[in-house]
Amino acid sequence: MAVKITIDGIPIEAREGQTILQIARERGIHIPTLCYHKDLSPTGNCRICVVEVAKQRFLQAACVTPVWEGMEISTHSERTVRSRKLTLELMLANHPQDCLVCDVSGSCELQDLAYDYQVEVPKWGSKGTRYVADSDPNPFVRVDFNKCILCRRCVLACGEIQVRNVWGVAYRGFEEKIVAGADTTMLDARCESCGQCAAYCPTGALTDKMTYGKGRTHQVTKVTTTCTYCGVGCQFDLNVKDGKIIGVTSNPDAPVNGMALCVKGRYGYDFVHHPERLTRPKVRRYLLEGQAKPKQISKSANQLWEWVETDWETALTITADKFRATRDASGPDSIGFLTSAKCLNEENYLMNKLARQVVGTNNIDHCARL
Amino acid sequence: MSNSMEDVANAAQAALIIGSNTTEQHPVFGSMLRRAVNKRGLKIVVADPRKIDITEFAVLHLQQNPGTDIALINGLMYIILEKGWEDKAFIEERCEGYDEFKATVKNYPPQKVSEITGIPVEKLYQAAEILSVNRPSAVIWAMGITQHITGVRNVMSLANLQMLLGNMGKPGSGVNPLRGQNNVQGACDMGGLPNVYPGYQPVTNAEAREKFARAWGLKVESGKVEGSEANLQPSTFNLPDKVGLTVTEMIPGLADGRVKALYILGEDPIMSDPDTAHIRHCLEAADFIVLEEIFPSETSPYADVLLPGVSFAEKTGTFTNTERRVQMVRKAVEPVGDARPDWWIIAEVAKRIVAGGGRQIAEGPHAGWDYPDANTIMTEINALTPSYGGITFARLEQGKGLQWPCPTTEHPGTPILHTKQFSRGRGKFMPIDHVPPAELPDDEYPMFLNTGRVLYHYHGGEMTRRASGLMAVYGRPLVEVSPLDAEKLGLEGQQRVRITSRRGSIEAEAWVTDRVPPGMVYANFHFPEASANELTIAALDPTSKIPEYKVCAVKVEVV
Ligand code: SF4
Ligand code: SF4
Ligand code: SF4
């Protein structure tokens, strides 16, 4: 059923049951939001998305108010703007004034709104910190409730996306705060360290601990790629600064997973820069000295079994010569190829071509079986 | 997967999760299923000897004895037939082999099945009813089904169940194996198997051989030479027509001399293959092993040459996920040190072998090895692999990935398989009987060992053991022991235990938890200091050659 409404004087046909925010977004009309996120159930608790509806005494939260026939909405009336400014002022009054050193400066929705509405921290506000910063031992999620605006996105992200229900709201009035389980640590509250709560948090209250202090959003290059771990095939953005991966952020357009990731995909990237990475080809000394392979290699203290770093040409030539000699002496089926379920399609194709075309064997397999 | 993950999560009314610890092994799909339970009341039946996390969201948990999946499925199908819940129209129109199959299922009445599986009769009835009443229902499985000597037959059993219920080719239904590693699907699709070329074109099929021989500049068996090719210098070498060795045959082949040299790309047999002691012995017998890796893995002590490849973050190309979706992998950082993309390394080795002579390669449209980038390789894949024919980088760069079959650049991809017919025409019911596992507990080794992975680690752990946060949460191997067994063993809290099988022994800290049933311990293979594969048995499924990782007999002692 069509419902005729006007938004800022523009006549619009909405569908019955749509909220003001939904139809406004559909039509490209901007209404600011903070606690609202399209993936999560709207709660209407931050009061930033308030709009004025003709003949209504109170301002209405656009994210939870359904449209009705004849509704006349104004999104930026003087009254709404004043109300939003006041809401922001109250939030900032309880917020540390440390954007200069805050990790999410530049990607903080509170900061953006303060800028849009030109609201500064009120003189009467911000009487110092109330909570210990970095208060949770979870190795991935950094918790700083001084920056929390009680929007409850984390509660919904954990409850509705991850479906783990770690976060809740406890205490009343000024003491109201977000807690893990019965106000314990995240891991004790059965957190799976997926980082969804940090990804949905609009402020610096929940952030990625591994990224903390390493770079802000405008300093990084984001490269969208596919996870190297399981077969779900989640996509995300690698955040790169100075040639190093400093973090992973969700990419809302990821086809399989949207914003969701698991602990391995989101936080398991630092192996890439691990000091044990192999950086140069190595061959056993016996190969360089034209000797026979030592017997009983696993117990070998034999010098001929030492690794020697070489250039690519040497290592590639030795490898190719050995394979060719083995093929010619013992037949193609004396060579086996273990290709890799961790490598690219293109690389697996080449292994198949190498085994079949160049060596002439079908001895190729990988650990699908394992 | 015959269906896609989103489709199962959005459209299935019920799901049987059997042999998949979904929330730990495929966590994001696990959370999609939890959402489906919460939001729209998806009914999950879990069949797993362990009380895995997803059981919290299940309406029913069947704790079958290890290695009794066929009996369980046959038992459910017996009840479905008894109640007349089968989809008669689907069976009539789309399937064959029904009568013979039915005769076998008749041998699995609930009482007998209950004795074999240890599942109470009324739970069998409940499960059959949930899956029949709430259609479409999807079956989801992983290695818990395939890693048995009956792995292939387990899978056929599940296909029987889905055909019987008409759960094929429609949204929210289907047979949905979850692939363990990120690109297992792609490695299979690209001919990383001993019996098929890319796109599952059999090496035993003369036409397929001819096609690849022409493309790759080898001798064409039929002798037919077309057009301009007549002028080319012919090769005298054929593509081999005999199926090659599987990994579980290749490595033992080193010990008996059938295989002399191995090229290992990014795999770690010491960690991932069964019966580690035997694997060590085999690798040691090799004449020559080249290992292309990013870390000095547990297998590197056995390698003669180590070639430094790169991680996913240092190269561009594609992966194919468990639902056949091909997606871009993009280079984000430069290779560390002098490491090189693996495709470059493979091509350089190939060029040098070819240049050395001995097996002459003629000209052919795809005979050469000059690849400036992965895109060029994909173009060759497009030309030779019908199901990947339309999957180009240009399309992937724009869209949301493409699910094969995608034969042309106009084709939108295929989210659901078998909508009109099965790949072989009619779906064939297979009569399948229960076979007990290769090794059962006895007086000397009285407990079952079950093995697998945990949320925080991945496969042999080469990458995750080098990820600082993951190690902070799960930094040492743990063996799950049930409270009842802990009491019997006199185990108090987090003490160390020694687990011994006929093949080896490991020591690790015990985690006393009711996730495992009494009589079973569970160990993972992420840590070299206590890898479950020191204990596992190399008993193979006769068809797939997959080892029976999920069942063997052990004894447990407190250290
Ligand atoms: S990390 Fe994930 S599981 Fe843990 S609290 Fe946040 S959303 Fe919940
Ligand atoms: S922690 Fe973040 S997401 Fe949670 S209520 Fe506070 S500001 Fe909102
Ligand atoms: S993020 Fe987790 S669930 Fe997603 S692909 Fe990676 S390992 Fe799998």
Side-chain angles (χ1 to χ4, degrees), chain A residues 222-235:
Chain A
K222 293 190 186 230
V223 181
T224 306
T225 194
T226 308
C227 182
T228 190
Y229 290 112
C230 86
V232 173
C234 297
Q235 289 209 318

Side-chain angles (χ1 to χ4, degrees), chain B residues 321-387:
Chain B
N321 81 349
T322 190
E323 54 182 12
R324 297 168 281 105
R325 188 189 300 268
V326 184
Q327 303 188 102
M328 288 303 300
V329 177
R330 294 187 186 84
K331 178 174 163 181
V333 294
E334 288 301 321
V336 298
D338 205 11
R340 300 285 167 90
D342 297 280
W343 55 262
W344 180 89
I345 302 172
I346 301 162
E348 290 303 310
V349 170
K351 278 183 208 166
R352 283 169 180 77
I353 301 178
V354 174
R359 179 177 160 94
Q360 192 202 334
I361 289 165
E363 281 180 49
H366 304 290
W369 282 89
D370 284 318
Y371 300 106
D373 51 31
N375 195 354
T376 323
I377 305 170
M378 185 51 107
T379 310
E380 185 168 326
I381 296 169
N382 296 151
L384 296 173
T385 315
S387 52

Side-chain angles (χ1 to χ4, degrees), chain B residues 32-325:
Chain B
M32 284 162 80
L33 293 174
R34 298 200 292 219
R35 250 174 274 162
V37 172
N38 252 19
K39 280 224 166 110
R40 53 173 202 84
L42 167 70
K43 297 204 167 47
I44 295 181
V45 176
V46 174
D48 201 296
R50 289 196 306 146
K51 206 163 111 198
I52 50 176
D53 272 359
I54 192 82
T55 57
E56 275 178 43
F57 286 76
V59 286
L60 187 65
H61 178 202
L62 309 173
Q63 268 181 300
Q64 76 273 40
N65 292 330
T68 62
D69 302 290
I70 291 172
L72 167 60
I73 304 302
N74 278 345
L76 296 180
M77 293 192 291
Y78 180 102
I79 297 169
I80 289 166
L81 288 170
E82 182 186 79
K83 298 279 186 185
W85 286 330
E86 72 274 20
D87 185 336
K88 297 185 185 73
F90 183 89
I91 297 165
E92 176 72 16
E93 282 161 30
R94 306 262 319 255
C95 306
E96 62 189 24
Y98 186 50
D99 293 332
E100 202 190 334
F101 152 79
K102 225 158 88 177
T104 304
V105 170
K106 285 286 169 229
N107 298 328
Y108 291 85
Q111 193 54 45
K112 177 173 165 192
V113 169
S114 176
E115 275 156 33
I116 302 175
T117 61
I119 300 169
V121 169
E122 61 286 5
K123 286 202 174 182
L124 295 171
Y125 274 96
Q126 283 167 12
E129 183 169 352
I130 293 165
L131 297 174
S132 303
V133 172
N134 301 286
R135 275 183 261 188
S137 45
V139 172
I140 296 161
W141 75 86
M143 296 314 216
I145 276 295
T146 51
Q147 290 178 342
H148 290 280
I149 50 164
T150 56
V152 169
R153 282 166 286 172
N154 286 351
V155 170
M156 288 175 178
S157 273
L158 293 169
N160 284 342
L161 173 69
Q162 289 302 66
M163 289 192 291
L164 191 66
L165 290 171
N167 274 326
M168 290 282 209
K170 37 186 101 139
S173 72
V175 283
N176 300 290
L178 301 177
R179 303 306 211 127
Q181 304 195 54
N182 60 331
N183 204 30
V184 175
Q185 184 68 54
C188 294
D189 297 348
M190 290 300 108
L193 293 170
N195 58 338
V196 288
Y197 298 116
Y200 306 95
Q201 305 170 74
V203 298
T204 48
N205 176 310
E207 260 172 60
R209 283 200 303 278
E210 175 142 349
K211 168 178 170 177
F212 280 92
R214 276 181 199 285
W216 288 343
L218 295 170
K219 185 178 160 196
V220 176
E221 290 157 62
S222 69
K224 273 187 284 166
V225 180
E226 293 158 17
S228 64
E229 286 180 47
N231 307 326
L232 301 176
Q233 178 74 17
S235 168
T236 48
F237 289 88
N238 287 328
L239 279 170
D241 57 0
K242 164 173 130 278
V243 169
L245 300 176
T246 64
V247 49
T248 41
E249 295 167 323
M250 243 182 258
I251 293 181
L254 292 167
D256 62 32
R258 262 188 307 167
V259 178
K260 304 210 173 311
L262 270 191
Y263 189 145
I264 307 178
L265 171 63
E267 298 277 339
D268 195 1
I270 291 288
M271 292 302 290
S272 60
D273 291 32
D275 191 356
T276 314
H278 183 62
I279 300 291
R280 284 194 193 96
H281 164 76
C282 295
L283 292 181
E284 197 160 305
D287 280 357
F288 184 69
I289 294 177
V290 55
L291 178 63
E292 193 170 317
E293 251 301 357
I294 60 173
F295 289 115
S297 67
E298 302 309 307
T299 300
S300 64
Y302 302 88
D304 299 81
V305 173
L306 260 179
L307 302 175
V310 299
S311 72
F312 78 119
E314 297 150 272
K315 58 189 173 189
T316 293
T318 57
F319 286 153
T320 304
N321 81 349
T322 190
E323 54 182 12
R324 297 168 281 105
R325 188 189 300 268

Side-chain angles (χ1 to χ4, degrees), chain A residues 201-254:
Chain A
C201 177
T203 72
L206 300 178
T207 52
D208 294 332
K209 204 174 268 187
M210 289 167 67
T211 307
Y212 188 78
K214 296 218 170 106
R216 290 164 162 176
T217 183
H218 66 279
Q219 297 172 312
V220 301
T221 312
K222 293 190 186 230
V223 181
T224 306
T225 194
T226 308
C227 182
T228 190
Y229 290 112
C230 86
V232 173
C234 297
Q235 289 209 318
F236 48 69
D237 292 343
L238 289 172
N239 288 209
V240 180
K241 184 169 169 248
D242 302 331
K244 282 207 158 187
I245 301 167
I246 63 154
V248 162
T249 45
S250 294
N251 182 325
D253 295 327

